[in-house]
Amino acid sequence: MKMPSMDKLEKYAELALRTGVNLQNDQLLMINSTIEGAEFTRIVARKAFEMGAKDVHINWGDDELTRMAYEHADQETLSHVPEWQQQKYTYFAEQGAAILSIRSTDPDLLKGIDAGKVASAAKARSEAMSTFRNYTMNDRIQWSIISIPIAKWAQKIFPGEEEDTAVEKLWEQIFSIVRVDQDDPVEAWKKHNDTLITAREYLNKKQYRKLIYKAPGTDLEVALPKGHVWKGGPAGTAEGNISFNPNMPTEEVFTAPHKYGVDGKVTSTKPLNYGGNVINNFTLTFKEGKVVDFTAEEGSETLQHLLDTDEGSRHLGELALVPHESPISQSGLIFYNTLYDENASCHLALGKAYPNNVQGGSDMNEEELDQNGVNHSLTHVDFMMGSGELDIDGVLEDGTTEAVMRKGSWAITFE
């Protein structure tokens, strides 16, 4: 399969290392990748060593083997996560490694597989990786996620195209969206991050008591915890005061909703790829923070299992604001990939909230977080609900209401 020019691939690799994880001299790097991305992953590894990485460890995955296991292994086997796998991730976290995930997965990978089997395995992995996840969700280490094309993903986005043509088109979209097609992608990201930082600082000063969402199929009120913290761009700083970008692309500013303060109905605006299955055209009805009813035209059983993962999976853990003018939205494409689709649209997340989305949250235990309205769960699943028809109002502490977004665009001027 034809690859893009080496110049573009090296620019992308350098961007992921310098702006994504912000790799430091003499730091360990762990890369999660798939065998289909081996050529690009080797470029990233070489760049990392050239930048002074102490060592580079690769965790390889293979879609075909994953599908094979779900087709033939029993649920008990699929739900077993060997202790050595847990210890490996914890070891690298304890060593202060940077973690880069290079994702390239077929959106329909597990289509037709029993949803209960998939849900059980996903829950087991989440439980097993809880210690490691505390490092990432509290920004104790640098981590970032990027994507590269594979044929099945590309042809899902560009149906009817030959493999090579579809993959070439997807590479072009990725390079444009993550600014690799610019002369100096790293510098372009610095300017982009500055814009996101300005937006999050404005919202942090406002400290809205709640947000009100209105759109076709959506009428939702979301309370915000006292002392909530908006993040965006470089999400924060890892130990050692090192900034990093967890998601590339990223167009969002986000915070934690109040676990018990969500009421009304929300309707999805883009398909959700969850666990190798697509959930589409779904609605969620909330009462006092909890999903009490739902519908889905596609993937209803998968959505049911997601909501039933644990008590926290029926509560929200994130709300994110993304202007309709984002380059991903303007592409007019549905990517069937949450990393991309969530940055085309305002979105919410079911499940665990980032503790550092409230002041002092990283130092709170689970009970204290709950008392402050911060949700805990084994899951964290973003779903898209924004569009060019979405209006959002912010309610201040004194009850004053002001426009935050109109028809999917910012209605406020950041100062």
Side-chain angles (χ1 to χ4, degrees):
M1 188 172 296
K2 184 181 178 182
M3 293 286 285
S5 69
M6 184 58 69
D7 177 63
K8 285 280 183 67
L9 294 173
E10 289 191 342
K11 274 187 172 183
Y12 193 20
E14 184 169 352
L15 181 67
L17 293 169
R18 293 194 183 280
T19 304
V21 295
N22 193 3
L23 183 69
Q24 303 294 294
N25 186 58
D26 203 36
Q27 185 176 23
L28 290 171
L29 174 66
M30 182 166 74
I31 300 176
N32 301 309
S33 188
T34 63
I35 58 171
E36 289 189 283
E39 185 174 346
F40 177 70
T41 301
R42 293 187 192 107
I43 294 170
V44 175
R46 173 170 56 81
K47 280 283 184 183
F49 279 122
E50 290 172 356
M51 289 172 58
K54 183 176 183 178
D55 196 8
V56 179
H57 178 85
I58 315 290
N59 295 319
W60 294 109
D62 182 348
D63 273 4
E64 290 191 27
L65 289 175
T66 298
R67 172 82 191 191
M68 198 182 301
Y70 275 96
E71 287 177 335
H72 299 287
D74 59 31
Q75 187 161 309
E76 182 179 355
T77 300
L78 290 168
S79 298
H80 174 66
V81 182
E83 189 173 344
W84 65 265
Q85 288 189 4
Q86 305 170 46
Q87 292 173 343
K88 176 177 66 175
Y89 279 87
T90 301
Y91 166 80
F92 278 96
E94 289 175 344
Q95 296 298 310
I99 314 295
L100 177 64
S101 295
I102 303 172
R103 293 188 176 172
S104 49
T105 299
D106 175 9
D108 296 319
L109 177 64
L110 300 181
K111 188 174 184 178
I113 300 294
D114 176 59
K117 182 186 281 190
V118 176
S120 178
K123 182 176 181 179
R125 285 195 300 271
S126 293
E127 290 173 338
M129 299 298 288
S130 60
T131 299
F132 173 75
R133 189 169 59 169
N134 281 332
Y135 278 89
T136 58
M137 294 200 78
N138 286 288
D139 292 344
R140 294 176 59 189
I141 57 175
Q142 302 128 262
W143 58 280
S144 190
I145 304 170
I146 64 171
S147 288
I148 59 173
I150 59 170
K152 289 183 178 179
W153 178 30
Q155 288 182 303
K156 180 80 171 180
I157 301 171
F158 302 105
E161 296 284 7
E162 295 293 331
E163 280 191 9
D164 285 352
T165 302
V167 170
E168 184 177 358
K169 284 187 173 184
L170 184 51
W171 271 119
E172 289 174 357
Q173 287 293 328
I174 288 174
F175 287 153
S176 174
I177 288 166
V178 298
R179 299 170 173 81
V180 170
D181 61 349
Q182 300 191 26
D183 291 338
D184 188 342
V186 173
E187 181 61 30
W189 268 84
K190 286 181 181 178
K191 293 178 180 177
H192 177 56
N193 278 336
D194 286 344
T195 300
L196 295 174
I197 289 169
T198 299
R200 80 187 192 197
E201 288 180 350
Y202 176 93
L203 292 167
N204 279 326
K205 289 177 182 177
K206 281 290 183 178
Q207 283 294 296
Y208 292 116
R209 180 163 55 86
K210 65 179 178 181
L211 296 180
I212 301 172
Y213 294 76
K214 301 278 190 180
T218 293
D219 188 351
L220 191 72
E221 293 194 6
V222 182
L224 301 176
K226 287 187 177 180
H228 62 272
V229 177
W230 288 89
K231 291 180 172 290
T237 53
E239 293 178 1
N241 201 35
I242 303 168
S243 64
F244 63 97
N245 277 86
N247 296 334
M248 301 187 79
T250 183
E251 303 289 335
E252 66 178 331
V253 288
F254 65 95
T255 192
H258 196 291
K259 177 178 180 178
Y260 303 108
V262 184
D263 291 279
K265 179 180 177 181
V266 61
T267 297
S268 68
T269 53
K270 291 180 181 290
L272 168 62
N273 177 29
Y274 176 68
N277 286 286
V278 173
I279 309 170
N280 199 9
N281 294 327
F282 61 94
T283 66
L284 302 173
T285 301
F286 289 85
K287 184 177 181 181
E288 296 179 353
K290 185 176 182 178
V291 175
V292 294
D293 193 17
F294 74 92
T295 64
E297 290 184 11
E298 180 182 2
S300 180
E301 187 179 0
T302 299
L303 179 55
Q304 177 77 67
H305 284 292
L306 166 59
L307 293 170
D308 290 343
T309 302
D310 56 20
E311 190 274 337
S313 61
R314 285 181 175 261
H315 295 265
L316 294 181
E318 180 187 325
L319 67 83
L321 305 182
V322 179
H324 190 56
E325 296 85 0
S326 86
I328 308 171
S329 176
Q330 294 305 302
S331 75
L333 297 172
I334 296 175
F335 285 87
Y336 301 94
N337 175 306
T338 300
L339 175 61
Y340 277 73
D341 288 330
E342 74 170 5
N343 283 295
S345 163
C346 289
H347 55 273
L348 304 168
L350 292 164
K352 184 175 175 65
Y354 290 93
N356 55 19
N357 272 142
V358 294
Q359 294 175 12
S362 293
D363 297 321
M364 296 179 188
N365 59 34
E366 190 175 319
E367 182 179 349
E368 291 170 330
L369 287 168
D370 185 80
Q371 291 172 352
N372 281 273
V374 181
N375 191 34
H376 176 75
S377 174
L378 293 170
T379 64
H380 180 93
V381 180
D382 298 277
F383 66 92
M384 289 59 73
M385 45 72 66
S387 71
E389 299 179 277
L390 175 64
D391 292 340
I392 302 176
D393 286 330
V395 181
L396 295 165
E397 195 61 40
D398 64 4
T400 303
T401 298
E402 59 187 32
V404 174
M405 282 189 156
R406 287 292 180 266
K407 296 192 179 301
S409 300
W410 290 114
I412 49 183
T413 301
F414 302 116
E415 297 177 356

